[in-house]
């Protein structure tokens, strides 16, 4: 198991903004929010293969942690259930003029 320090998390936050901790049955990993390029690619592939969508998001947003989450199907599927929460969208409004 990989040990991630508070210093490492602070460095990730400084570089990437929001950092998320995903925990699955005692296994932990850290991810950042996906960018537009990653979302576009994952979305185009995910239409035909939803599991591949999660794989693309996880691999492209991965910062560190227990690699078993990427390789063990049970752990990967568990992480996949919460990956959508790292996709943040700003609130917008529209007005007809």
């Amino acid at each position: 198991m990989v040990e991630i320090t508070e210093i490492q998390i602070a460095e990730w936050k400084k570089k990437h903004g929001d950092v998320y901790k995903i925990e699955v049955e005692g296994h932990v990993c850290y991810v950042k929010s996906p960018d537009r390029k990653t979302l576009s690619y994952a979305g185009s592939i995910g239409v035909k293969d939803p599991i591949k969508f999660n794989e693309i998001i996880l691999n492209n947003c991965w910062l560190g942690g227990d690699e078993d989450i990427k390789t063990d199907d049970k752990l990967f599927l568990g992480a996949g259930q919460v990956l959508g929460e790292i996709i943040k969208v700003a609130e917008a409004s529209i007005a007809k003029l």
Side-chain angles (χ1 to χ4, degrees):
M1 193 164 188
V2 178
E3 186 68 32
I4 304 296
T5 66
E6 290 299 320
I7 294 169
Q8 179 64 62
I9 293 169
E11 288 174 8
W12 285 334
K13 285 181 176 181
K14 188 175 181 178
K15 183 174 180 180
H16 302 290
D18 292 333
V19 172
Y20 302 90
K21 177 182 176 182
I22 298 174
E23 189 167 351
V24 187
E25 293 187 352
H27 299 265
V28 176
C29 72
Y30 298 86
V31 294
K32 62 183 179 73
S33 293
D35 57 20
R36 264 189 289 191
K37 186 176 178 181
T38 299
L39 285 172
S40 176
Y41 177 58
S44 67
I45 301 298
V47 171
K48 292 183 180 179
D49 187 349
I51 291 177
K52 191 72 173 169
F53 176 89
N54 285 341
E55 188 175 350
I56 292 166
I57 296 295
L58 185 63
N59 286 331
N60 283 278
C61 298
W62 186 269
L63 296 172
D66 191 337
E67 294 283 330
D68 287 345
I69 293 173
K70 289 184 186 179
T71 59
D72 181 287
D73 289 345
K74 181 179 174 185
L75 299 176
F76 170 78
L77 292 170
Q81 291 182 331
V82 297
L83 274 179
E85 296 178 33
I86 70 171
I87 300 170
K88 300 296 180 192
V89 179
E91 190 173 319
S93 64
I94 186 170
K96 183 177 178 182
L97 304 177

